[in-house]
Amino acid sequence: MIYQTSNLAIIIFLFIVGLVLGLSFYFARKTKSAASYYAAGGKIHWFVNGIAFAGDYLSAASFLGICGMIAYSGYDGFLYSIGYLAGWVVALFLVAEPLRKLGKFTFTDALDSKFNSKSIKLAASISTLIVSIFYLIPQMVGAGDLVVPLLGLPHWTGVVIVGTIVIFIVAQPV
Amino acid sequence: MLHEPGNQHIETDKAAAKKAKLGVKMFIIYTLVYAGFVFIGLTKPEWMGLRALGEQNLAIVYGFGLIILAIIMGFIYNYFCTRMEDKLNKH
């Protein structure tokens, strides 16, 4: 299918990207510690925090992946969305409270504070990176798939644009 | 910002142990319900096609039920945790 470049779509895309970058710059200046980086110092209202959680869950995988899987595989595709909620149950009932009690934000930090072992820290870091890579690949592919019909650009351009924006937001100096 | 391990000062929460225990109990309940779904899917997949509620088959009712149950259990967990915190951290 051939898609044509839409000026309006590009303007809206640039506006949203600019807004997200502006917000991240604004809040990055207020970030002074790991606690404020991970949890905004615990000062976020529960409703706003809930919206942030929803934003985390509504990723390319859920927007495009699940819809596509239901379209192609019917009910078998729907089964995957139940898996998402099962993961949320584990995080809520088993992980959240012990992590909060320890005063840690990441699984690696929690393991390190409990066992104080370099090997465990290394294993946790490597597994985090491996999981993140396999999570990122479909997200980036999804971003590229979105850019093709929205902006009329080649797939690889979408991957590069979205990847660069995300790296810039997360790794910007404070 | 220093790239040190994340640490935050947590005030002593007397309800922490009870909340963790409640979390484990609720997790076991959800796991059992979820296991039932998986078990039917593995051993008697034809049951999934049976009508369960109105025009909807068991697969849809059970599947959506699991999603709704997770949300309801989240609310219940929040309610009991808040109550425990209010009660045990009073003084």
Side-chain angles (χ1 to χ4, degrees), chain A residues 28-101:
Chain A
R29 259 187 269 141
K30 293 185 169 189
T31 305
K32 302 287 176 215
S33 65
S36 54
Y37 178 78
Y38 284 115
K43 288 171 187 164
I44 288 184
H45 190 263
W46 62 266
F47 186 74
V48 179
N49 210 9
I51 292 173
F53 264 83
D56 276 349
Y57 268 81
L58 296 174
S59 59
S62 34
F63 262 131
L64 304 175
I66 295 291
C67 299
M69 283 179 73
I70 292 172
Y72 278 101
S73 316
Y75 182 76
D76 290 350
F78 164 71
L79 286 175
Y80 279 82
S81 54
I82 304 170
Y84 281 2
L85 257 291
W88 178 72
V89 165
V90 175
L92 177 69
F93 293 149
L94 295 183
V95 180
E97 183 55 40
L99 215 60
R100 182 176 172 271
K101 197 180 163 191

Side-chain angles (χ1 to χ4, degrees), chain A residues 88 92-93, chain B residues 26 68-79:
Chain A
W88 178 72
L92 177 69
F93 293 149
Chain B
M26 295 192 83
I68 294 163
L69 179 70
I71 297 166
I72 291 170
M73 285 181 79
F75 278 113
I76 293 170
Y77 182 62
N78 176 59
Y79 170 77

Side-chain angles (χ1 to χ4, degrees), chain A residues 75 79 88 93 100 103-104 109, chain B residues 6-8 10 23 37 59 70:
Chain A
Y75 182 76
L79 286 175
W88 178 72
F93 293 149
R100 182 176 172 271
K104 302 293 174 191
D109 281 347
Chain B
N7 230 333
Q8 61 176 335
I10 296 289
F37 182 74

Side-chain angles (χ1 to χ4, degrees), chain A residues 111-122:
Chain A
L111 287 172
D112 182 45
S113 75
K114 272 271 182 193
F115 301 106
N116 197 21
S117 155
K118 276 189 179 174
S119 311
I120 289 176
K121 212 184 330 186
L122 183 68

